[in-house]
Amino acid sequence: MSLLENSVSTLKGVGPKRAETLQSLGIQTIYDLLTYYPFRYDDIQEKMLDDIQDQEKVVLKGTVLAEPVVSYYGFKKSRLVFRMMTEQAVINVTFFNQPFLKSKINASEEVAIYGKWDGRRKALTGMKILATQDEQEDFSPIYHVNKQIKQKTLVDLIRNAWELHGVEMEENLPEWLLEKYRLMPKVKAAYAMHFPEDIEENRLARRRLAFEEFFLFQMKMIQLKKQETSKEVGKAILYDVHKLKEFIQTLPFELTNAQKRVVNEICADLRSEDHMHRLLQGDVGSGKTIVAAIALYAVVSVGYQGALMVPTEILAEQHMESLLGLFDPLEVNVALLTSSTKQAERRRILAELESGELDILVGTHSLIQEEVQFKKVGLVITDEQHRFGVNQRKLLREKGDNPDVLFMTATPIPRTLAITAYGEMDVSVIDELPAGRIPIETRWILPKQIDSVLTWMTKQLQKGQQAYVICPLIEESEMLDVKNATEIYEHLQQFFEPNFKVGLLHGKMKSQEKDSIMNEFKENNMQVLVSTTVIEVGVNVPNASMMMIMDADRFGLAQLHQLRGRVGRGSIASYCILVASPKSDQGKERMKIMTETTDGFVLSEKDLEMRGPGDFFGSKQSGIPEFKVGDMVADAPILETARLEAIALWNEKNWEEEPKNAVLVRSLEKRNKQSEFLD
Ligand code: ADP
Ligand code: MG
């Protein structure tokens, strides 16, 4: 065992207390400390004021013109203001609620301030004073720290650890790979992350470490994929081709070419001895349900059972209904199991499932509970699968005797995310909508224009159409969402009733309540449905041709696209009205893009670009790995190169035995023990 795996508490100056603090930063071993990289660098390269974006965070240097003035207002609130002369201009600098900084800012002295640039006022809102000029290097690393430890203390610890133990750090990539891509050796790169000679060296260090992370990750993903799809866990389901063709003939429409293609891909997986582990991507309305039904029917045709799992009850019921319709002329036994299924019914379903009488079970998460036992399950499908984490995906596969698994999602996933978050799967894409769809027309309006929209809406309602009104998403609190939605609901009731009925749907309602509201809307007993984002997933009411989204700039592009997909499901022209007065340029840009394209893939790429991978799925449980150095968006080319290298290597026969790969095999084994990608 390498000394680097020793606890940091073996270092001088790290007592129990400090060790605890370090642990709270995720630092346990000496290796962790050596590789606790800065999250950014203060780059004091002077920027031309005109080149700084509004709200951009920058460091500005200059001379303090006169003592700062502090003024107090409200409870414990203060404002510290002074004028600073930079090389280009005199600007105002303001610090809020840090009056004590006054003693650090002296007239005619040089200072460097880190803060946010206000482009309109040509002023800086200070966040931090950086060390004085002579200590300040042009390029200094900034670490994530907490209240218990200061930047400087941490840097000193890191520096000491490097001096004592740096030499022990081992290379973990093979020599041939380093040479091929001119990558810096590991030790040099790790050191240059903390203490770079200059920006260029730091850039090369980042490049090397990002490559390493992506490459090792991809190696692991391919290994996982090989396990997931191996013959040992798979089975050949030799479905009845004849019956399947007949079934497809009975469908009320011809499959699109894309649907035909993915049906073939899925059927090939079923037939093959390898285990199916496939992701099916298709934009809202592209017709994934039919594909699922065909696949389920295939396994049922030879006596296997199938399951369809979805995240919400509304969606489960809807799928149940669709399947009943599609299987109507056939002898297929389908049941629905959710948390609101009555006890007696539930017992009956579970018994039939075990005896094999039941062919297909549709339901929510209840399907992965212990007591749900299939007799002979051949295929499990999940819809809107990005809501399930990696572990839930695993549980699902382990249900019964390793059924084939198909994950469906309507969130078009940008390529870089797909190969990281879902790298262990095969991917099928439905990239074509059924013919005859009229594209949804999207308009962006300001809140003050709402009245004219409501008037227009009234006219459409009179023609027999229906509308959704989606209320803003307030991240901090579901209660606030509800309050907001309730207000809008009451307002619209006053406007539309008694001519048209208005309903309200939100996440705090009991599921029975939700269902009955949804049904009223479906049956057109209710014409306007005010809803929070619970409506997002999969809901299908073809007669609803209008959607108005309030405070639309609070949503990400991917989510707006999902929401918008609730309309445009019938043969009537549909409209989506975005109500927003975004403050940031980015918010405006998002609204504009929404009005310009309905292509989910274009939107998802943009979304990823603008918001970064962390926020992409709008939830923590996304299965997206976190990289220390690599940035999936900015470093996409490195990711791609690393992926191709990993694939090429796995394709080499017995690569694991080659001496030239020994270093790599060892580092992968180490990582396996840590198993850091699975949670
Ligand atoms: P999604 O991919 O969003 O789950 P659905 O499966 O709900 O889409 O299909 C959306 C609508 O399109 C449904 O009403 C469905 O009957 C219809 N549909 C599916 N495939 C076709 C097709 N090939 N031609 C015409 N309509 C289709
Ligand atoms: Mg669907």
Side-chain angles (χ1 to χ4, degrees), residues 284-285 287-289 315 318-319 383-384 408 410 537-538 566 569:
V284 251
K288 293 181 295 297
T289 313
L315 197 54
Q318 199 174 282
H319 274 317
D383 196 8
E384 305 303 342
M408 305 201 292
V537 170
R566 301 302 114 229
R569 306 201 131 223

Side-chain angles (χ1 to χ4, degrees), residues 355-573:
S355 73
E357 262 170 275
L358 201 59
D359 297 311
I360 294 171
L361 185 60
V362 180
T364 51
H365 287 71
S366 352
L367 294 200
I368 38 177
Q369 285 163 356
E370 262 317 312
E371 72 264 30
V372 180
Q373 297 291 341
F374 291 82
K375 175 158 188 254
K376 196 181 172 193
V377 58
L379 173 66
V380 175
I381 302 180
T382 73
D383 196 8
E384 305 303 342
Q385 88 75 226
H386 65 271
R387 307 202 152 204
F388 300 115
V390 179
N391 282 328
Q392 272 172 316
R393 287 188 227 157
K394 252 187 112 194
L395 264 181
L396 196 64
R397 177 167 66 69
E398 284 158 6
K399 197 86 229 169
D401 181 25
N402 280 309
D404 281 337
V405 186
L406 179 68
F407 300 95
M408 305 201 292
T409 175
T411 309
I413 303 165
R415 194 180 147 66
T416 52
L417 273 189
I419 63 181
T420 47
Y422 303 107
E424 89 282 17
M425 297 186 206
D426 291 308
V427 179
S428 290
V429 182
I430 307 184
D431 51 6
E432 178 187 359
L433 293 180
R437 292 276 164 82
I438 308 168
I440 302 163
E441 191 162 332
T442 302
R443 302 262 172 85
W444 165 30
I445 65 156
L446 298 170
K448 61 178 185 217
Q449 295 166 289
I450 276 192
D451 282 347
S452 63
V453 171
L454 292 182
T455 310
W456 163 82
M457 222 178 228
T458 310
K459 286 198 195 112
Q460 305 295 111
L461 291 171
Q462 278 160 354
K463 289 187 209 154
Q465 291 164 24
Q466 290 168 275
Y468 294 103
V469 176
I470 308 295
C471 300
L473 175 83
I474 299 161
E475 304 236 325
E476 306 84 55
S477 139
E478 202 177 343
M479 270 332 281
L480 276 180
D481 282 354
V482 171
K483 179 167 169 281
N484 225 312
T486 311
E487 269 168 24
I488 293 171
Y489 163 68
E490 281 163 4
H491 180 78
L492 292 182
Q493 260 185 327
Q494 274 175 12
F495 190 92
F496 287 121
E497 289 189 351
N499 295 337
F500 306 105
K501 186 156 179 236
V502 184
L504 174 66
L505 192 70
H506 61 69
K508 287 270 173 206
M509 286 175 163
K510 295 228 166 55
S511 55
Q512 273 177 354
E513 222 178 328
K514 277 193 237 169
D515 290 350
S516 81
I517 301 271
M518 213 45 233
N519 276 333
E520 271 196 80
F521 188 64
K522 247 184 189 169
E523 289 176 0
N524 202 357
N525 296 331
M526 176 190 291
Q527 288 72 40
V528 179
L529 180 61
V530 178
S531 170
T532 59
T533 50
V534 289
I535 203 77
E536 185 184 344
V537 170
V539 170
N540 193 16
V541 182
N543 193 49
S545 64
M546 291 173 278
M547 172 172 287
M548 177 157 79
I549 306 179
M550 313 298 289
D551 285 339
D553 54 323
R554 283 179 182 261
F555 299 92
L557 286 173
Q559 205 179 9
L560 285 171
H561 180 64
Q562 281 281 308
L563 289 167
R564 180 168 64 180
R566 301 302 114 229
V567 295
R569 306 201 131 223
S571 50
I572 9 174

Side-chain angles (χ1 to χ4, degrees), residues 62 81 109 115 154 185 236 258 271 277 291 302 378 406 419 458 579 629 651 662:
V81 184
E109 277 183 14
L154 184 67
R271 231 178 297 135
H277 196 62
V291 173
V302 281
L406 179 68
I419 63 181
T458 310
V579 184
V629 179
N651 284 338

